[in-house]
Structure formats: structure tokens, C-alpha cells
Amino acid sequence: MKLICIGRNYTEHIKELENEKPTDPVVFLKPDTAILLKKQPFFIPDFSNDVHHEVEILVKINKVGKYIAKKFAHKYYDEIGLGIDFTARDLQKQLKDKGLPWEKAKGFDGAAVIGEWMSVKEIEDVNAIKFSLKKNENIVQLGNTSHMLWKIDELIEYVSKYFTLKIGDIIFTGTPAGVGKVIANDKLKGFIEDKEMFSITVK
Ligand code: ZN
């Protein structure tokens, strides 16, 4: 399976990193070895002094598809989740400045937190999901999928032009504003509405 990640999908986050607003979705992949195993702490890798949390809505693909039209995209997922796209911001900046791929900064072991899943049936409108991240009991990121530049079904249409989507593939749909550094002993908890979707400790 593959983890397909979208960058720069919320305007306020584009501003905070002083990035340009893209004309197409920014797409990158993480290897499956990036998945943080359930109940494990997240270990800050020794090659970074500035690992950031990026809380993101996740979409789990349940059917094989390529060139999926937006109007059929909803048939390709029936579960929504919440996760973190951990990013070694210092390393990412170095790579970006040189025009090199980001993978080392985004795809390292443990860099993909995947929380619990909920059925799409439990969600009133996938384009109006409220989600948040608490760090040590303070809300640090607050998002709503209504603010996405490209909505879930548009992302499926777009990425499936390039990659065949397979059962179990997961799309990380981009982070809202409020990304920030994590340090040892931080506790991160993610929520969709009031429902806790993950809880992890940083080491
Ligand atoms: Zn991200």
C-alpha cells in the first residue's frame, strides 16, 4: 500500500510557511515503513532539530481505480480518519532550497501517524469535517475540510491520473495552519469533532 500526501491544501497554512499558492495540488508519497505502529511513541529522528506536527484528514481507498472522475470519487472510500504528517522542517527547507525531493524529511520511520477510522456514514458532510490537534491539552491546530483548496473527491480525481489507487491506500489531505515543533514528552491528541482519533507521546 502507499501513502499519498497532499501539500499546501489550506490557504492559512500556505501563508504561515510563506509558500506560493499552487495551481495544482502538491503531491508526494511516504513509504509504508513511515507508518507509526499502534501504541508506539513517536521518536524524534537524530537528523532533525525541528520536527513539526501536521494534523490531516485521511481517506482510505476501498476499491482499485485509475482516472476516477470527481463525480464517482465517493465510491472509492467509505472510511475517514485522522493522522499526522510529521515533517523534519529543517531538512525539508534544505532540500526545498536546493530543489531536491522532500522524501527524507517526510518519509522517515514513524513520520505517518494513522489514527482510528470512522465510517463515512457517521459523517454528515465530508466537505465540512471539523478536526483538531491538542498538544499537551492545548489546541494547536483547528481545521475544517470546507477550507480545503481541493476537496476530497477532487483530490481522488487528481491523484488517480498519476497513480492507480489500490485497496488500503491512504490519502493524507493536507494540513491547516498551526503546524509547530514537537519536543520530547509532548502528548499529541487528534480529534474529529469531539471524537478522539489518536493519542501519542513524543520521545
Ligand atoms: Zn502535510
Side-chain angles (χ1 to χ4, degrees):
M1 57 89 73
K2 56 191 174 296
L3 306 174
I4 302 167
C5 305
I6 306 300
R8 302 181 200 172
N9 203 20
Y10 289 84
T11 308
E12 294 304 313
H13 171 62
I14 295 170
K15 281 190 206 155
E16 74 181 344
L17 293 188
E18 296 176 349
N19 281 320
E20 274 177 39
K21 196 169 165 176
T23 49
D24 282 310
V26 173
V27 180
F28 57 95
L29 300 176
K30 290 186 193 246
D32 56 6
T33 45
I35 297 170
L36 186 68
L37 298 175
K38 282 265 183 298
K39 312 251 186 254
Q40 293 299 304
F42 170 73
F43 287 92
I44 296 171
D46 58 8
F47 52 77
S48 177
N49 290 312
D50 195 23
V51 171
H52 280 198
H53 53 75
E54 296 190 353
V55 72
E56 311 197 358
I57 289 288
L58 311 183
V59 179
K60 195 198 275 178
I61 298 299
N62 67 357
K63 199 157 50 161
V64 177
K66 180 151 177 91
Y67 288 110
I68 301 163
K70 182 184 155 189
K71 66 176 173 182
F72 298 122
H74 66 275
K75 296 174 187 260
Y76 288 80
Y77 60 96
D78 52 19
E79 285 180 293
I80 295 285
L82 193 71
I84 296 179
D85 163 20
F86 275 120
T87 304
R89 194 71 72 202
D90 42 1
L91 179 56
Q92 186 195 28
K93 188 175 183 317
Q94 286 172 25
L95 295 166
K96 265 166 78 175
D97 288 350
K98 291 183 188 156
L100 294 171
W102 294 342
E103 270 68 9
K104 288 187 289 183
K106 292 269 197 185
F108 57 87
D109 289 4
V113 174
I114 296 168
E116 302 300 322
W117 294 95
M118 57 201 279
S119 165
V120 169
K121 293 191 192 100
E122 291 174 64
I123 297 167
E124 215 172 293
D125 179 1
V126 294
N127 294 321
I129 304 171
K130 272 192 252 165
F131 61 102
S132 59
L133 181 72
K134 279 187 185 172
K135 184 166 86 174
N136 309 325
E137 299 306 320
N138 300 311
I139 294 177
V140 287
Q141 289 193 267
L142 200 56
N144 191 309
T145 55
S146 65
H147 298 146
M148 286 179 165
L149 296 177
W150 288 277
K151 304 291 189 274
I152 289 171
D153 292 355
E154 291 169 323
L155 292 173
I156 288 174
E157 177 177 71
Y158 186 80
V159 299
S160 70
K161 283 183 202 172
Y162 298 89
F163 312 118
T164 294
L165 298 182
K166 294 176 75 175
I167 295 168
D169 286 351
I170 294 170
I171 303 176
F172 280 64
T173 60
T175 193
V179 301
K181 183 175 176 170
V182 294
I183 56 170
N185 300 319
D186 278 346
K187 263 222 173 291
L188 300 170
K189 287 183 184 181
F191 298 84
I192 289 182
E193 306 283 348
D194 295 328
K195 193 175 173 205
E196 187 177 302
M197 305 300 281
F198 63 77
S199 173
I200 56 163
T201 305
V202 178
K203 299 262 180 178

